[in-house]
Amino acid sequence: MLGIGRSGEILQCGQNAPGVVGRAPEDIVGTDAADLFSADAKETLAGLLDALGAGQERTAVLSVLDDGDPRDAVVTVVPMHGRDGDSGLMMIRVAVTDLERFTDPALMRWALLEDALPRISAMLDLEQMAQELAGVIVPHFCNSAGVLIRESIMGADEVPSFSPEGTAILHRLAVAADNDFPSWSAAFPAGEVLAYPPGTPYVRCMATSAPVLEPHLDTKAARAIARAWRRPPVGRLLDGVSMVLLPLIARGTTLGFIVCTRSDAHRPFDAYDVEIGMEFAARAALYIDNARRYSRERATALTLQRSMLPTGLTAPSSVEIRHRYLPGNQLIEVGGDWYEAIALPGGRVALIVGDVAGHGVRAAVTMGRLRTALQTIVNLELSPAEGLQQVDALMRGIGEREPAFATCVYAVYDATDGTCEIASAGHLPPLLLRPGGTSEFLDVSPAPPLGVGEGMIETRKFTIGDGSILVLYTDGLVENRGQDIDDGLLRLRRVFGPEALLSPLEDLAKATLDGAYSDQERDDIAVLIARLRRLPEEHVVTMTLPARPSAVREARGRVRGTLGSWELDDLSFTAELLVSELVTNALRYATGDIGLRMLLDRTLVLEVRDGSDALPRARQAADDDENGRGLQVVHRLAKRWGARLEGQGKVVWCEVDLPGDGDRVLESWPGEALHL
């Protein structure tokens, strides 16, 4: 860098000028700048000086004389204004030779520590960060480099991993080289999981957590490393290089190291280079550790959220279900929204959507507790209102330790008669699209949220037309900072207009979340969409039996005949034995007529109704007991069995798998072709 006047006289020279133009400082100051360049550059130089006189910055490529030999240089003139008159700066930039490279410690320090690291520090992806680190250290510090960290960190499991020899298992995240990169990449591939051979500098670096300097690896040492590693190309690449290994230490833990090499055409590493490199490695280790912690916490949160949401929804074959779950913005990826669809015996299905107040791990944990409780309550076959009352008691217990509340809507649809029972605790009303194309938000009796205040939860019963669409959702779908809830409800109603009756549910689920992904301030969203249809009439057979011993024989005959009409004669023996036990149990402990119902769906369901509200209880019969073995027989032969209260009596039911693992289910439904 030179200070020049308008006429081209050199007034000052920088400390690097002698190395560029090949003259001593006293031979530069006071001379004409034109003397530094070849004769063919005089005209271009005059143009630069004219631009300087006009107060303009200008750049050109000129031939600068270095001890009489011309070298191409990029020359820039910049005008400056001072008290002594107008002057300017002339910056002459020439390519650095191999021998001169890595000689300016100030330049290396600036390139490594000040230029790129602030930008890299904002990254949170380990692989991307490692590639950027390798791209900085090459070419400013070395000719080739590799970034390696412990494999346990990549797995986010924090489990130490060691090879049989006791050395750490490492993962090579990135490789960089400014010369013959394909050879370096082939010998040291990125993404490789490896354990370095004992006795090598790499193992020594990990064992001591200190930098390892190898000023010169001769041919013998390079071949020894290649033999230990069983990679012959490594010997050629390391022959004659200078190598330094910089440990990555953050918060007292050695995460890995950066390996750097310089070829024999450059100045070898020395102690000062190690000092600069360790400053770079210390900062890089903190950035890597921050990314590691973020990745671990994010993976933990997402695993928690996914483990608490259902992996599969079940329903009768006549009911089609789609769902969507969208967590809050990228900063809050877990929350308290959940959904559930559980098939119940008798051609019924429980549809549930809930929302725990708040975000983050705490809300997700509370959601998991409520969802587990509801799964148990659903299998107990309580009514929706009774089930939510039980969950309300649980939520009050949680609220005694810390404030917590939730909203929930719970619906049970019966595919045999088209009825739907719905109860809500502080939740938004479900949307129902009827077969005629009209839609409405169902009037469900209001009740306080779960865990808040006193109030009874009531069940409302609706008759659902065949082919109707029921939509359960959380408030995040219809309410946000930029949208009033009434506008959101109106938009949802437009999505499920008359044309939705002929649309695939998958398309409707996508349309429901249109615009939600771009909202960075959104709340969690859970949506459950169900197309409700009844089971075919021929798949539901109901009969009434008199309360006398001959009812057992009559029941077996009706079962045998019905299975024959369904072409399920192979199940006749098992089904007759099961219905005999259930009817006999009803005759022994109940009064009045006995109801028998058979349903053909994904399984064969046998139901026996009687007028007693005493639920059966399986017990272990003693060797000399004459009774108590009927329910044991049912337990052994049926896929599952249970009982529920219904009206003034109860229903005892059992399920039997169909031949072919339930392939004989409802294959189509009226109007299905219109949805293809």
Side-chain angles (χ1 to χ4, degrees):
M1 182 176 294
L2 305 174
I4 61 175
R6 283 192 176 185
S7 61
E9 180 185 3
I10 300 176
L11 306 176
Q12 294 177 325
C13 73
Q15 60 180 356
N16 293 332
V20 175
V21 299
R23 297 186 185 184
E26 58 271 17
D27 296 333
I28 299 177
V29 177
T31 62
D32 192 339
D35 297 338
L36 305 179
F37 301 94
S38 60
D40 57 357
K42 303 296 184 182
E43 183 177 351
T44 305
L45 177 62
L48 294 179
L49 296 177
D50 291 341
L52 181 65
Q56 299 176 357
E57 179 179 335
R58 192 70 58 84
T59 300
V61 177
L62 305 177
S63 295
V64 64
L65 298 176
D66 182 3
D67 288 335
D69 298 326
R71 298 171 59 189
D72 287 339
V74 178
V75 181
T76 301
V77 293
V78 181
M80 298 183 65
H81 304 283
R83 290 179 299 178
D84 299 334
D86 293 336
S87 59
L89 291 178
M90 175 178 287
M91 292 176 285
I92 305 175
R93 288 168 288 184
V94 297
V96 179
T97 64
D98 286 346
L99 292 177
E100 294 173 324
R101 192 173 172 187
F102 311 130
T103 58
D104 189 341
L107 182 61
M108 283 194 298
R109 186 182 294 275
W110 178 85
L112 292 181
L113 305 179
E114 305 297 335
D115 184 28
L117 276 184
R119 170 178 51 85
I120 297 175
S121 65
M123 297 180 179
L124 292 175
D125 182 84
L126 278 176
E127 294 187 8
Q128 182 184 5
M129 177 182 292
Q131 194 61 55
E132 291 291 334
L133 291 172
V136 170
I137 207 167
V138 176
H140 299 296
F141 185 73
C142 57
N143 300 113
S144 67
V147 180
L148 299 98
I149 66 171
R150 293 181 183 270
E151 171 62 14
S152 58
I153 295 176
M154 291 298 298
D157 53 12
E158 300 299 321
V159 177
S161 52
F162 298 92
S163 68
E165 295 82 7
T167 58
I169 297 178
L170 300 171
H171 186 112
R172 186 181 294 108
L173 286 177
V175 176
D178 61 1
N179 187 27
D180 195 13
F181 175 77
S183 297
W184 286 94
S185 180
F188 308 99
E192 181 183 18
V193 178
L194 69 153
Y196 282 99
T200 57
Y202 317 97
V203 174
R204 192 160 70 250
C205 177
M206 288 297 295
T208 61
S209 298
V212 174
L213 174 62
E214 297 285 347
H216 179 73
L217 286 176
D218 56 19
T219 302
K220 181 179 179 181
R223 289 179 178 176
I225 294 177
R227 282 195 304 271
W229 209 358
R230 299 180 182 178
R231 295 187 182 183
V234 171
R236 179 181 64 82
L237 294 174
L238 297 184
D239 187 8
V241 305
S242 176
M243 182 169 67
V244 63
L245 286 86
L246 308 171
L248 296 168
I249 304 173
R251 299 176 176 93
T253 301
T254 303
L255 307 178
F257 58 81
I258 302 176
V259 54
C260 309
T261 63
R262 288 179 184 172
S263 69
D264 53 5
H266 303 84
R267 182 180 66 83
F269 289 111
D270 57 22
Y272 192 73
D273 291 320
V274 174
E275 180 183 343
I276 296 177
M278 283 304 298
E279 287 188 52
F280 176 82
R283 297 191 192 182
L286 286 177
Y287 302 154
I288 290 175
D289 189 54
N290 290 338
R292 171 185 71 93
R293 290 170 178 263
Y294 168 79
S295 299
R296 182 188 61 190
E297 293 178 4
R298 182 173 184 271
T300 301
L302 293 180
T303 300
L304 173 67
Q305 183 79 74
R306 290 166 182 165
S307 65
M308 290 183 175
L309 291 173
T311 56
L313 305 181
T314 59
S317 59
S318 62
V319 176
E320 183 184 1
I321 294 178
R322 291 294 184 273
H323 62 87
R324 285 294 186 273
Y325 175 79
L326 186 63
N329 57 45
Q330 295 181 358
L331 297 178
I332 307 174
E333 295 191 274
V334 294
D337 291 17
W338 86 94
Y339 57 89
E340 192 70 84
I342 303 174
L344 299 174
R348 298 171 301 138
V349 58
L351 306 172
I352 303 171
V353 165
D355 181 4
V356 175
H359 301 281
V361 175
R362 178 175 297 178
V365 170
T366 302
M367 175 268 288
R369 298 175 67 179
L370 294 185
R371 178 172 170 263
T372 302
L374 268 172
Q375 284 179 319
T376 303
I377 290 170
V378 166
N379 289 323
L380 291 176
E381 301 196 61
L382 300 177
S383 69
E386 292 173 327
L388 291 183
Q389 289 288 170
Q390 296 294 325
V391 178
D392 179 64
L394 171 64
M395 201 66 185
R396 292 183 186 215
I398 297 175
E400 292 177 357
R401 294 182 293 274
E402 57 186 49
F405 68 92
T407 65
C408 184
V409 60
Y410 180 176
V412 176
Y413 173 71
D414 192 333
T416 63
D417 59 10
T419 60
C420 185
E421 295 181 325
I422 303 178
S424 174
H427 205 83
L428 291 171
L431 175 64
L432 179 66
L433 175 60
R434 299 188 181 277
T438 60
S439 62
E440 63 175 308
F441 291 101
L442 296 179
D443 183 15
V444 181
S445 299
L450 301 173
V452 176
E454 297 287 342
M456 293 301 297
I457 303 174
E458 299 180 9
T459 296
R460 292 289 305 275
K461 192 171 184 178
F462 302 89
T463 299
I464 307 296
D466 220 29
S468 298
I469 296 178
L470 183 67
V471 185
L472 309 180
Y473 53 93
T474 57
D475 58 358
L477 180 66
V478 296
E479 184 180 20
N480 56 44
R481 293 183 179 180
Q483 174 181 265
D484 186 75
I485 189 170
D486 291 334
D487 296 333
L489 292 173
L490 181 60
R491 175 191 169 277
L492 180 64
R493 200 163 182 172
R494 285 197 299 265
V495 171
F496 290 91
E499 66 281 356
L501 290 170
L502 302 179
S503 301
L505 286 193
E506 187 65 26
D507 293 347
L508 294 176
K510 293 178 181 178
T512 302
L513 294 185
D514 280 349
Y517 294 94
S518 60
D519 184 3
Q520 297 301 314
E521 300 298 329
R522 65 174 180 267
D523 194 2
D524 302 330
I525 298 174
V527 182
L528 193 65
I529 307 172
R531 180 175 275 120
L532 306 177
R533 300 184 299 270
R534 301 184 186 183
L535 291 171
E537 294 182 0
E538 61 272 18
H539 286 189
V540 182
V541 176
T542 304
M543 62 199 78
T544 302
L545 304 172
R548 56 174 181 259
S550 61
V552 178
R553 182 180 67 252
E554 185 177 348
R556 287 199 299 264
R558 297 292 294 273
V559 168
R560 187 185 313 113
T562 302
L563 292 179
S565 66
W566 289 342
E567 299 181 357
L568 294 174
D569 299 280
D570 293 344
L571 296 181
S572 182
F573 176 79
T574 301
E576 288 182 52
L577 182 55
L578 288 170
V579 79
S580 296
E581 296 296 340
L582 296 181
V583 173
T584 300
N585 193 67
L587 287 172
R588 182 179 297 273
Y589 299 106
T591 59
D593 292 341
I594 299 171
L596 173 62
R597 187 167 73 162
M598 301 176 61
L599 288 87
L600 177 60
D601 190 34
R602 302 188 189 276
T603 59
L604 172 64
V605 182
L606 302 173
E607 295 182 344
V608 174
R609 292 178 172 83
D610 60 54
S612 172
D613 59 0
L615 297 178
R617 180 173 59 89
R619 64 184 179 88
Q620 186 68 38
D623 294 340
D624 56 350
D625 286 345
E626 296 183 2
N627 302 315
R629 295 180 177 84
L631 290 180
Q632 294 185 26
V633 173
V634 174
H635 179 75
R636 293 295 297 271
L637 295 180
K639 177 182 180 181
R640 60 175 181 161
W641 73 278
R644 66 179 181 272
L645 296 176
E646 189 172 281
Q648 300 300 317
K650 67 175 180 296
V651 174
V652 184
W653 56 269
C654 63
E655 289 185 357
V656 180
D657 281 329
L658 301 179
D661 293 330
D663 290 337
R664 289 178 53 119
V665 296
L666 183 63
E667 298 295 341
S668 62
W669 52 277
E672 182 178 15
L674 300 176
H675 292 255
L676 299 178

